[in-house]
Amino acid sequence: MMGGMKKFLIQSLSPEGDYRILVVWPRKLLVPVIRLFDRTLAIPDDPAICVLEISPGEHSSRVRRLGRELCFAGLPVFDEGQGRLRIYCPRPGAKIVYEAFQFGESISSDAQTLRNLVELEDYKGIADIVGEVNYRLVGENMLITEGALLRGSKAYTSYATYELPEGAELVSA
């Protein structure tokens, strides 16, 4: 395994060699995504990032639509096949995002607001509720994450550095 790879979650390509992300590429990514030399994608295995796995159940079209709009807003959302979605989400907004996918159940007012913002295609409003990981590239191969922001304020504090493998690049929208 290459140096630094142990700290990344790998998101593979489809058997046809396509990206499994629902929208290529969102306007601004709220979580850092790295494209590796073989075109696979990697997301830092960082405490400021939660991985959500969503199964569609009887609401597959609603789940897919919500996932696609969250992806447009900047959350990396991947199709895992059979309607399942994998979402990489900033920790402060993970519970709200998970709740928004619970169709047929009562949800919090924040989760309902998130659904409403999706309907309005208000991507800035979505990002305000979900939050974003504070990250930057230093030099050509060092990614630094500094926790997660929610509505402009530090909501989750962590600090980590990730050495990018040779040939990798930060995906920016």
Side-chain angles (χ1 to χ4, degrees):
M1 194 170 268
M2 301 154 81
M5 289 300 293
K6 66 184 181 296
K7 293 188 174 185
F8 289 95
L9 304 169
I10 304 299
Q11 192 63 46
S12 63
L13 300 172
S14 71
E16 297 80 28
D18 298 323
Y19 292 112
R20 295 175 189 248
I21 195 165
L22 294 186
V23 178
V24 179
W25 294 106
R27 292 182 185 117
K28 178 184 179 202
L29 292 167
L30 303 175
V31 171
V33 176
I34 292 91
R35 184 180 6 245
L36 303 175
F37 69 93
D38 65 355
R39 294 185 52 235
T40 57
L41 300 175
I43 292 86
D45 189 5
D46 191 272
I49 301 170
C50 286
V51 181
L52 305 175
E53 304 253 346
I54 306 293
S55 294
E58 60 191 58
H59 302 281
S60 60
S61 63
R62 293 170 83 184
V63 164
R64 181 128 180 121
R65 182 165 179 246
L66 179 59
R68 187 176 55 250
E69 293 301 320
L70 289 175
C71 197
F72 270 121
L75 286 181
V77 179
F78 295 89
D79 182 351
E80 293 296 301
Q82 299 177 350
R84 294 184 332 263
L85 300 179
R86 177 174 293 149
I87 304 165
Y88 295 91
C89 184
R91 184 167 296 280
K95 182 179 179 199
I96 295 167
V97 170
Y98 180 78
E99 259 189 274
F101 280 96
Q102 306 310 304
F103 295 101
E105 298 179 24
S106 62
I107 59 174
S108 70
S109 62
D110 282 343
Q112 187 59 54
T113 299
L114 181 60
R115 284 186 188 171
N116 293 342
L117 292 169
V118 163
E119 288 294 320
L120 297 170
E121 296 180 356
D122 181 352
Y123 302 127
K124 183 184 178 325
I126 292 168
D128 285 346
I129 287 181
V130 171
E132 65 180 291
V133 174
N134 190 14
Y135 64 93
R136 59 192 159 92
L137 192 59
V138 177
E140 291 183 13
N141 67 341
M142 189 64 63
L143 176 70
I144 296 177
T145 61
E146 298 175 315
L149 303 173
L150 185 63
R151 296 178 180 101
S153 300
K154 194 74 110 172
Y156 181 83
T157 304
S158 66
Y159 181 87
T161 59
Y162 300 90
E163 182 181 344
L164 300 183
E166 189 174 326
E169 63 181 344
L170 184 64
V171 176
S172 58

